[in-house]
Short mmCIF file of all heavy atoms in Angstrom, two decimals:
data_model
loop_
_atom_site.label_atom_id
_atom_site.label_comp_id
_atom_site.label_asym_id
_atom_site.label_seq_id
_atom_site.Cartn_x
_atom_site.Cartn_y
_atom_site.Cartn_z
N MET A 1 96.82 105.34 82.45
CA MET A 1 95.92 105.50 83.59
C MET A 1 94.76 104.53 83.43
O MET A 1 94.14 104.47 82.37
CB MET A 1 95.42 106.95 83.66
CG MET A 1 94.57 107.25 84.87
SD MET A 1 94.45 109.02 85.23
CE MET A 1 94.01 109.71 83.65
N ARG A 2 94.49 103.75 84.49
CA ARG A 2 93.44 102.76 84.43
C ARG A 2 92.54 102.90 85.66
O ARG A 2 93.04 102.97 86.79
CB ARG A 2 94.04 101.36 84.38
CG ARG A 2 93.02 100.25 84.23
CD ARG A 2 93.68 98.91 83.97
NE ARG A 2 94.44 98.44 85.13
CZ ARG A 2 94.63 97.15 85.42
NH1 ARG A 2 94.15 96.21 84.63
NH2 ARG A 2 95.34 96.79 86.47
N ALA A 3 91.23 102.94 85.46
CA ALA A 3 90.27 103.07 86.55
C ALA A 3 89.53 101.76 86.74
O ALA A 3 88.90 101.24 85.81
CB ALA A 3 89.28 104.19 86.25
N LEU A 4 89.61 101.20 87.94
CA LEU A 4 89.00 99.93 88.26
C LEU A 4 87.85 100.14 89.23
O LEU A 4 87.99 100.89 90.21
CB LEU A 4 90.02 98.99 88.90
CG LEU A 4 91.31 98.75 88.10
CD1 LEU A 4 92.30 97.95 88.93
CD2 LEU A 4 90.99 98.02 86.81
N LEU A 11 86.07 104.07 92.69
CA LEU A 11 87.03 103.72 91.65
C LEU A 11 88.43 103.74 92.25
O LEU A 11 88.75 104.59 93.08
CB LEU A 11 87.01 104.74 90.50
CG LEU A 11 85.83 104.77 89.54
CD1 LEU A 11 85.98 105.94 88.58
CD2 LEU A 11 85.71 103.45 88.79
N LEU A 12 89.25 102.80 91.80
CA LEU A 12 90.68 102.83 92.10
C LEU A 12 91.41 103.14 90.81
O LEU A 12 91.37 102.36 89.86
CB LEU A 12 91.15 101.49 92.66
CG LEU A 12 92.62 101.45 93.10
CD1 LEU A 12 92.83 102.32 94.34
CD2 LEU A 12 93.06 100.01 93.38
N VAL A 13 92.05 104.30 90.76
CA VAL A 13 92.72 104.75 89.54
C VAL A 13 94.21 104.43 89.67
O VAL A 13 94.88 104.90 90.58
CB VAL A 13 92.52 106.26 89.31
CG1 VAL A 13 93.13 106.67 87.97
CG2 VAL A 13 91.04 106.61 89.36
N GLU A 14 94.72 103.65 88.72
CA GLU A 14 96.12 103.25 88.72
C GLU A 14 96.90 104.11 87.74
O GLU A 14 96.45 104.35 86.62
CB GLU A 14 96.25 101.78 88.32
CG GLU A 14 95.61 100.81 89.28
CD GLU A 14 95.78 99.37 88.83
OE1 GLU A 14 96.01 99.15 87.62
OE2 GLU A 14 95.69 98.47 89.68
N VAL A 15 98.09 104.57 88.17
CA VAL A 15 98.99 105.34 87.30
C VAL A 15 100.37 104.69 87.38
O VAL A 15 100.56 103.69 88.08
CB VAL A 15 99.04 106.81 87.72
CG1 VAL A 15 97.70 107.50 87.45
CG2 VAL A 15 99.41 106.96 89.20
N SER A 16 101.33 105.25 86.67
CA SER A 16 102.63 104.59 86.51
C SER A 16 103.69 105.02 87.52
O SER A 16 104.62 104.25 87.79
CB SER A 16 103.17 104.84 85.10
OG SER A 16 102.28 104.33 84.13
N THR A 17 103.57 106.23 88.06
CA THR A 17 104.62 106.75 88.93
C THR A 17 104.04 107.50 90.11
O THR A 17 102.87 107.86 90.12
CB THR A 17 105.54 107.72 88.16
OG1 THR A 17 104.78 108.88 87.79
CG2 THR A 17 106.13 107.06 86.90
N ASP A 18 104.90 107.73 91.12
CA ASP A 18 104.51 108.56 92.26
C ASP A 18 104.08 109.95 91.79
O ASP A 18 103.10 110.51 92.30
CB ASP A 18 105.69 108.72 93.23
CG ASP A 18 106.08 107.43 93.90
OD1 ASP A 18 105.34 106.44 93.75
OD2 ASP A 18 107.12 107.40 94.58
N GLU A 19 104.86 110.51 90.86
CA GLU A 19 104.58 111.86 90.40
C GLU A 19 103.20 111.94 89.74
O GLU A 19 102.45 112.91 89.93
CB GLU A 19 105.65 112.33 89.42
CG GLU A 19 107.02 112.57 90.03
CD GLU A 19 107.78 111.27 90.31
OE1 GLU A 19 107.34 110.20 89.79
OE2 GLU A 19 108.78 111.32 91.04
N GLU A 20 102.83 110.92 88.97
CA GLU A 20 101.51 110.91 88.34
C GLU A 20 100.41 110.79 89.39
O GLU A 20 99.35 111.41 89.26
CB GLU A 20 101.41 109.76 87.34
CG GLU A 20 102.23 109.98 86.07
CD GLU A 20 102.06 108.85 85.07
OE1 GLU A 20 101.35 107.87 85.38
OE2 GLU A 20 102.64 108.95 83.98
N ALA A 21 100.64 110.00 90.43
CA ALA A 21 99.65 109.88 91.50
C ALA A 21 99.45 111.22 92.20
O ALA A 21 98.31 111.62 92.50
CB ALA A 21 100.07 108.81 92.50
N GLN A 22 100.54 111.94 92.45
CA GLN A 22 100.43 113.25 93.09
C GLN A 22 99.70 114.25 92.18
O GLN A 22 98.88 115.04 92.63
CB GLN A 22 101.81 113.77 93.44
CG GLN A 22 102.50 112.97 94.53
CD GLN A 22 103.89 113.48 94.83
OE1 GLN A 22 104.09 114.67 95.03
NE2 GLN A 22 104.86 112.59 94.86
N ALA A 23 100.02 114.21 90.88
CA ALA A 23 99.36 115.12 89.93
C ALA A 23 97.87 114.81 89.83
O ALA A 23 97.04 115.74 89.82
CB ALA A 23 100.03 115.01 88.56
N LEU A 24 97.53 113.54 89.77
CA LEU A 24 96.12 113.16 89.68
C LEU A 24 95.38 113.57 90.95
O LEU A 24 94.27 114.11 90.89
CB LEU A 24 96.00 111.65 89.46
CG LEU A 24 94.57 111.08 89.44
CD1 LEU A 24 93.76 111.71 88.32
CD2 LEU A 24 94.60 109.57 89.32
N HIS A 25 95.97 113.31 92.10
CA HIS A 25 95.35 113.69 93.37
C HIS A 25 95.08 115.19 93.43
O HIS A 25 93.98 115.63 93.78
CB HIS A 25 96.25 113.26 94.53
CG HIS A 25 95.74 113.66 95.87
ND1 HIS A 25 96.41 114.52 96.70
CD2 HIS A 25 94.60 113.31 96.53
CE1 HIS A 25 95.73 114.69 97.81
NE2 HIS A 25 94.63 113.97 97.74
N LEU A 28 92.22 116.10 91.01
CA LEU A 28 90.90 115.69 91.51
C LEU A 28 90.43 116.60 92.64
O LEU A 28 89.25 116.94 92.73
CB LEU A 28 90.95 114.23 91.96
CG LEU A 28 91.15 113.20 90.84
CD1 LEU A 28 91.45 111.83 91.44
CD2 LEU A 28 89.95 113.15 89.91
N VAL A 43 91.64 109.47 98.10
CA VAL A 43 92.71 108.94 98.93
C VAL A 43 93.90 108.52 98.05
O VAL A 43 93.81 107.51 97.34
CB VAL A 43 92.24 107.73 99.76
CG1 VAL A 43 93.34 107.25 100.70
CG2 VAL A 43 90.98 108.08 100.55
N PRO A 44 95.01 109.26 98.08
CA PRO A 44 96.17 108.89 97.27
C PRO A 44 97.01 107.81 97.94
O PRO A 44 97.02 107.68 99.17
CB PRO A 44 96.94 110.21 97.17
CG PRO A 44 96.64 110.89 98.48
CD PRO A 44 95.22 110.51 98.83
N ALA A 45 97.71 107.05 97.12
CA ALA A 45 98.73 106.11 97.60
C ALA A 45 99.94 106.24 96.69
O ALA A 45 100.08 107.25 95.98
CB ALA A 45 98.17 104.69 97.62
N ALA A 46 100.83 105.25 96.68
CA ALA A 46 102.08 105.38 95.93
C ALA A 46 101.82 105.54 94.44
O ALA A 46 102.36 106.44 93.80
CB ALA A 46 102.97 104.17 96.18
N ARG A 47 100.97 104.67 93.85
CA ARG A 47 100.69 104.75 92.42
C ARG A 47 99.21 104.56 92.12
O ARG A 47 98.84 104.10 91.04
CB ARG A 47 101.53 103.73 91.65
CG ARG A 47 103.02 104.03 91.76
CD ARG A 47 103.87 103.11 90.91
NE ARG A 47 105.28 103.43 91.07
CZ ARG A 47 106.27 102.80 90.44
NH1 ARG A 47 105.98 101.81 89.60
NH2 ARG A 47 107.52 103.14 90.64
N THR A 48 98.38 104.88 93.09
CA THR A 48 96.93 104.81 92.91
C THR A 48 96.26 105.98 93.60
O THR A 48 96.85 106.60 94.50
CB THR A 48 96.34 103.50 93.49
OG1 THR A 48 96.59 103.48 94.91
CG2 THR A 48 96.93 102.27 92.83
N VAL A 49 95.02 106.26 93.19
CA VAL A 49 94.16 107.21 93.90
C VAL A 49 92.79 106.56 93.98
O VAL A 49 92.22 106.15 92.97
CB VAL A 49 94.07 108.56 93.18
CG1 VAL A 49 93.14 109.50 93.96
CG2 VAL A 49 95.45 109.21 93.05
N LEU A 50 92.25 106.47 95.19
CA LEU A 50 90.92 105.90 95.42
C LEU A 50 89.91 107.03 95.50
O LEU A 50 90.10 108.00 96.25
CB LEU A 50 90.91 105.09 96.70
CG LEU A 50 89.55 104.52 97.11
CD1 LEU A 50 89.11 103.41 96.15
CD2 LEU A 50 89.59 103.99 98.56
N LEU A 51 88.83 106.90 94.74
CA LEU A 51 87.72 107.85 94.81
C LEU A 51 86.50 107.10 95.33
O LEU A 51 86.06 106.12 94.71
CB LEU A 51 87.40 108.45 93.43
CG LEU A 51 88.50 109.29 92.81
CD1 LEU A 51 89.33 108.44 91.86
CD2 LEU A 51 87.92 110.48 92.07
N LEU A 69 97.06 113.82 82.21
CA LEU A 69 97.38 114.32 83.53
C LEU A 69 98.14 115.64 83.45
O LEU A 69 99.14 115.74 82.73
CB LEU A 69 98.23 113.31 84.30
CG LEU A 69 97.49 112.13 84.93
CD1 LEU A 69 98.50 111.18 85.55
CD2 LEU A 69 96.51 112.60 85.97
N ALA A 117 103.48 112.66 99.59
CA ALA A 117 102.85 111.96 98.47
C ALA A 117 101.55 111.29 98.91
O ALA A 117 100.54 111.35 98.22
CB ALA A 117 103.80 110.92 97.89
N PHE A 118 101.60 110.65 100.08
CA PHE A 118 100.41 110.00 100.62
C PHE A 118 100.69 109.69 102.08
O PHE A 118 101.81 109.84 102.57
CB PHE A 118 100.04 108.73 99.85
CG PHE A 118 101.13 107.69 99.79
CD1 PHE A 118 101.15 106.62 100.67
CD2 PHE A 118 102.13 107.78 98.83
CE1 PHE A 118 102.15 105.67 100.61
CE2 PHE A 118 103.14 106.81 98.76
CZ PHE A 118 103.15 105.76 99.65
N CYS A 119 99.65 109.27 102.79
CA CYS A 119 99.78 108.95 104.21
C CYS A 119 99.34 107.50 104.45
O CYS A 119 98.57 106.94 103.68
CB CYS A 119 98.94 109.89 105.06
SG CYS A 119 99.46 111.62 104.97
N TYR A 127 104.36 109.76 103.70
CA TYR A 127 105.43 109.30 102.80
C TYR A 127 105.85 110.50 101.95
O TYR A 127 105.08 110.96 101.10
CB TYR A 127 104.93 108.17 101.92
CG TYR A 127 104.70 106.87 102.65
CD1 TYR A 127 103.58 106.70 103.47
CD2 TYR A 127 105.61 105.82 102.54
CE1 TYR A 127 103.37 105.51 104.14
CE2 TYR A 127 105.40 104.62 103.22
CZ TYR A 127 104.27 104.49 104.02
OH TYR A 127 104.06 103.31 104.69
N THR A 129 108.21 112.57 99.28
CA THR A 129 109.11 112.48 98.14
C THR A 129 109.86 113.81 97.99
O THR A 129 109.41 114.85 98.45
CB THR A 129 108.35 112.18 96.85
OG1 THR A 129 107.33 113.20 96.65
CG2 THR A 129 107.68 110.82 96.91
N ALA A 133 116.55 110.36 92.93
CA ALA A 133 116.47 108.89 92.91
C ALA A 133 117.77 108.23 93.36
O ALA A 133 117.73 107.15 93.96
CB ALA A 133 116.10 108.42 91.51
N GLY A 156 113.66 103.33 100.40
CA GLY A 156 113.42 103.51 98.97
C GLY A 156 113.53 104.99 98.62
O GLY A 156 114.49 105.66 99.01
N PRO A 157 112.53 105.56 97.93
CA PRO A 157 112.57 106.96 97.56
C PRO A 157 111.97 107.89 98.62
O PRO A 157 111.90 109.11 98.41
CB PRO A 157 111.72 107.00 96.29
CG PRO A 157 110.68 105.95 96.52
CD PRO A 157 111.40 104.85 97.29
N TYR A 158 111.51 107.34 99.73
CA TYR A 158 110.72 108.11 100.69
C TYR A 158 111.48 108.52 101.94
O TYR A 158 112.41 107.84 102.38
CB TYR A 158 109.48 107.31 101.12
CG TYR A 158 108.58 106.92 99.99
CD1 TYR A 158 108.45 105.58 99.62
CD2 TYR A 158 107.86 107.88 99.28
CE1 TYR A 158 107.61 105.22 98.57
CE2 TYR A 158 107.03 107.52 98.24
CZ TYR A 158 106.91 106.18 97.88
OH TYR A 158 106.09 105.83 96.83
#
Side-chain angles (χ1 to χ4, degrees):
M1 185 161 50
R2 183 171 68 150
L4 305 173
L11 288 175
L12 184 68
V13 185
E14 296 180 339
V15 293
S16 300
T17 66
D18 293 351
E19 291 77 13
E20 288 183 357
Q22 292 178 50
L24 176 61
H25 177 243
L28 293 169
V43 184
R47 296 185 181 181
T48 62
V49 179
L50 176 69
L51 296 96
L69 281 176
F118 57 97
C119 296
Y127 289 76
T129 56
Y158 301 112

